[in-house]
Amino acid sequence: MAKNHKPQYHKVVKRLISSERPQVLKSLLDSLNPVEISQVLLQLKLKHQLEVLEHLPPDRASDVISNLQGSSTVLESLVSELSHEQLSGIIGEMEDDDAADIVSILDETQADALMDSLPQKDREELANLLQYHEESAGGLMTTYVVSIRKDQTVAQAIRSIRRYVQREGFEMFYTAYVVDEYRHLIGTVSATELLLADRSAEIADIMNPDVIAVDCDLDQEEVVRVAQEYDLVVVPVIDKHLRLAGRITIDDLVDVLYEEHNEDLGQFAGTGGEEVLETSIIRTTRERLPWLFLSMVGGFMAALVMNGFGRSLSMMPETAYFIPLIAAFGGNVGIQSSSIMVRGLATGAIKTTDLLVRLWKELRVGALNGAICAVLLALMNWMITRNIATALSAGVALVAVVCIAASIGASVPILLKQLNIDPALATGPFITTANDILGISIYLGITFNVSHATWLS
């Protein structure tokens, strides 16, 4: 069967730039869509990226830049090197929410100069969006939103929508939002309902008053949760006075899902906010090093614990054979429990009030898993030590370690969530390091105490 290989456009682009064949390069770029060009840019060095953008008209360049917003380090490097004229032309062609994202990553001098070069209307819209945190509903929304009055007829509403679309260049909408005379959001009417309704019917009679909206200051993760819970492809945004402020479209919701997923994976793995395509060695080191320091501190504390049992270890060196197993087992159990908690908190399936319920469940699961594995550990220990007391104490220690690891993994994410801290911070190095220290302490403590008591008897 023939395989469909994706063309290596970035290699062709690089070759055309190096051989100084601008006309051929422009012809190639004209044949690619903005998504393909953005994928090409991700594979090129900065000087080649700038060369590509110089061959694109502002409207195409704005689409390409918008598609790079999932790769913040690439976007920041690129935008900082664009000329003021290029940047101004690109911003002028962008949707206002995308434009606000670009302006927010510029330094103060560049941002002020850019804002001053924009038309008054665009400047006011951008200033309105920039007042919100970039990871809030207000930072995600676009102010281009179709609204109609409840006292209009369907015919009047369609005419007002047509004028708005022609004036603003607005292309697509699924829902018209119904507002009162103070612009309070009071209902919705789908585009299909508008087309099929009697032209003389009043909007108030056909609208759906059960409208779901989010506040401007709501965190982007919560916005995605609302959209998922109510099956929304577009989420209306209201201000603190309940007035319609804008809307968040499905493409932005998907971007948030992708961004939050990568962020959680980074926290889980101990790589922070590092991106896959990051090329800076210094930035990559800065992202990873703090987590390595945490692991080093945890390892040092585990060494201190073992040092405290130094005399006992010298008398029973075979006990040390199972320390790596105990540490790894506790860490794995903690990761399993915390991963379920983090996923449940992210999707809304688990609430912060579920602490005791989830803790009790994880304790029971941990006890059952621990008991089964404890039997195997006791057998393995006995095969090496031929000491039934040591073997049984190792099994008991494993059950205790598993129960404590499950409790930590289940409770820490919920407690962090209650403190408004990202629960993903509880996973990865933090959980494994804490469980390593506790696991080794419990194992050595139980094993040596039982062995000592047996020896005395």
Side-chain angles (χ1 to χ4, degrees):
M1 176 184 282
K3 294 183 178 179
N4 183 20
H5 294 286
K6 189 174 181 179
Q8 301 293 309
Y9 289 122
H10 66 281
K11 294 181 180 179
V12 179
V13 169
K14 188 185 299 184
R15 196 179 307 122
L16 292 175
I17 292 175
S18 301
S19 60
E20 297 183 354
R21 299 168 67 186
Q23 292 302 322
V24 181
L25 174 60
K26 187 176 185 308
S27 297
L28 173 62
L29 294 176
D30 288 342
S31 68
L32 302 179
N33 62 50
V35 174
E36 291 173 324
I37 297 175
S38 66
Q39 293 298 317
V40 168
L41 292 184
L42 291 175
Q43 305 293 328
L44 299 177
K45 294 182 179 180
L46 179 59
K47 62 178 181 180
H48 293 148
Q49 292 173 346
L50 294 171
E51 184 81 19
V52 168
L53 288 180
E54 286 181 2
H55 288 82
L56 298 176
D59 58 335
R60 294 255 292 163
S62 69
D63 290 337
V64 171
I65 294 292
S66 295
N67 283 303
L68 288 175
Q69 294 199 31
S71 304
S72 58
T73 54
V74 174
L75 183 61
E76 288 174 15
S77 301
L78 187 56
V79 168
S80 64
E81 294 296 325
L82 290 173
S83 67
H84 178 76
E85 291 74 19
Q86 275 184 297
L87 199 53
S88 179
I90 289 171
I91 291 292
E93 296 291 336
M94 279 186 169
E95 296 286 342
D96 53 355
D97 55 332
D98 291 334
D101 291 338
I102 299 300
V103 174
S104 66
I105 65 178
L106 300 174
D107 61 48
E108 188 174 348
T109 303
Q110 285 180 303
D112 289 343
L114 180 61
M115 293 287 282
D116 289 341
S117 67
L118 296 175
Q120 177 71 19
K121 183 175 180 294
D122 293 342
R123 187 162 61 246
E124 290 176 354
E125 290 174 350
L126 278 180
N128 178 50
L129 290 177
L130 289 170
Q131 67 179 307
Y132 301 109
H133 191 278
E134 62 179 347
E135 294 187 354
S136 68
L140 288 174
M141 73 179 182
T142 174
T143 56
Y144 293 112
V145 58
V146 173
S147 63
I148 54 181
R149 294 277 295 274
K150 67 174 182 177
D151 55 357
Q152 288 180 314
T153 64
V154 170
Q156 290 171 333
I158 291 175
R159 284 197 296 272
S160 66
I161 290 172
R162 185 181 294 117
R163 286 195 298 269
Y164 177 77
V165 170
Q166 291 173 345
R167 183 177 70 251
E168 301 293 344
F170 198 73
E171 294 180 356
M172 183 182 296
F173 74 97
Y174 304 99
T175 303
Y177 296 104
V178 184
V179 297
D180 61 16
E181 60 270 25
Y182 303 105
R183 201 168 170 74
H184 295 144
L185 179 59
I186 59 173
T188 61
V189 179
S190 71
T192 303
E193 288 174 316
L194 276 177
L195 289 174
L196 298 179
D198 187 282
R199 292 296 188 267
S200 61
E202 286 199 359
I203 296 299
D205 295 329
I206 67 170
M207 75 175 188
N208 175 18
D210 299 324
V211 58
I212 305 298
V214 297
D215 185 84
C216 285
D217 296 319
L218 189 67
D219 184 81
Q220 61 181 15
E221 282 189 85
E222 296 297 324
V223 175
V224 172
R225 186 175 302 164
V226 169
Q228 180 185 26
E229 185 173 349
Y230 293 96
D231 294 327
L232 303 176
V233 294
V234 180
V235 181
V237 182
I238 56 176
D239 62 18
K240 60 182 179 180
H241 301 295
L242 306 182
R243 295 176 302 202
L244 181 63
R247 64 179 186 137
I248 301 172
T249 52
I250 186 65
D251 59 318
D252 292 316
L253 296 174
V254 172
D255 288 342
V256 172
L257 277 173
Y258 177 80
E259 177 186 329
E260 295 293 340
H261 174 69
N262 283 345
E263 181 181 316
D264 288 348
L265 282 180
Q267 301 289 5
F268 185 87
T271 56
E274 179 188 339
E275 294 183 8
V276 175
L277 294 172
E278 179 60 71
T279 57
S280 170
I281 302 300
I282 300 300
R283 188 178 287 122
T284 299
T285 301
R286 189 168 63 241
E287 291 287 353
R288 297 187 187 184
L289 201 55
W291 300 102
L292 296 178
F293 282 149
L294 175 61
S295 297
M296 184 176 290
V297 170
F300 177 70
M301 293 179 69
L304 290 178
V305 170
M306 294 176 65
N307 181 63
F309 289 95
R311 184 177 177 184
S312 299
L313 280 170
S314 64
M315 296 173 60
M316 300 176 59
E318 66 275 9
T319 306
Y321 302 161
F322 295 93
I323 290 177
L325 186 151
I326 293 291
F329 212 88
N332 285 334
V333 170
I335 288 294
Q336 287 177 343
S337 297
S338 62
S339 297
I340 292 296
M341 295 300 110
V342 171
R343 192 191 315 164
L345 289 168
T347 60
I350 296 176
K351 308 297 182 184
T352 55
T353 54
D354 295 339
L355 176 58
L356 294 180
V357 174
R358 301 305 305 187
L359 186 58
W360 176 234
K361 179 196 172 183
E362 291 300 322
L363 268 174
R364 287 181 293 164
V365 173
L368 181 57
N369 286 335
I372 294 171
C373 294
V375 174
L376 298 176
L377 177 60
L379 288 173
M380 290 186 289
N381 191 293
W382 180 79
M383 289 172 61
I384 293 177
T385 65
R386 296 296 174 175
N387 186 322
I388 189 64
T390 302
L392 290 176
S393 63
V396 171
L398 183 64
V399 175
V401 168
V402 168
C403 289
I404 290 176
S407 301
I408 293 174
S411 58
V412 170
I414 294 180
L415 293 174
L416 287 177
K417 185 69 173 180
Q418 289 176 339
L419 296 173
N420 292 322
I421 300 174
D422 187 355
L425 291 171
T427 58
F430 180 80
I431 290 289
T432 53
T433 300
N435 283 322
D436 285 352
I437 298 169
L438 288 173
I440 293 172
S441 301
I442 293 169
Y443 170 65
L444 294 179
I446 292 178
T447 301
F448 289 136
N449 283 328
V450 170
S451 299
H452 183 64
T454 305
W455 179 78
L456 288 178
S457 63

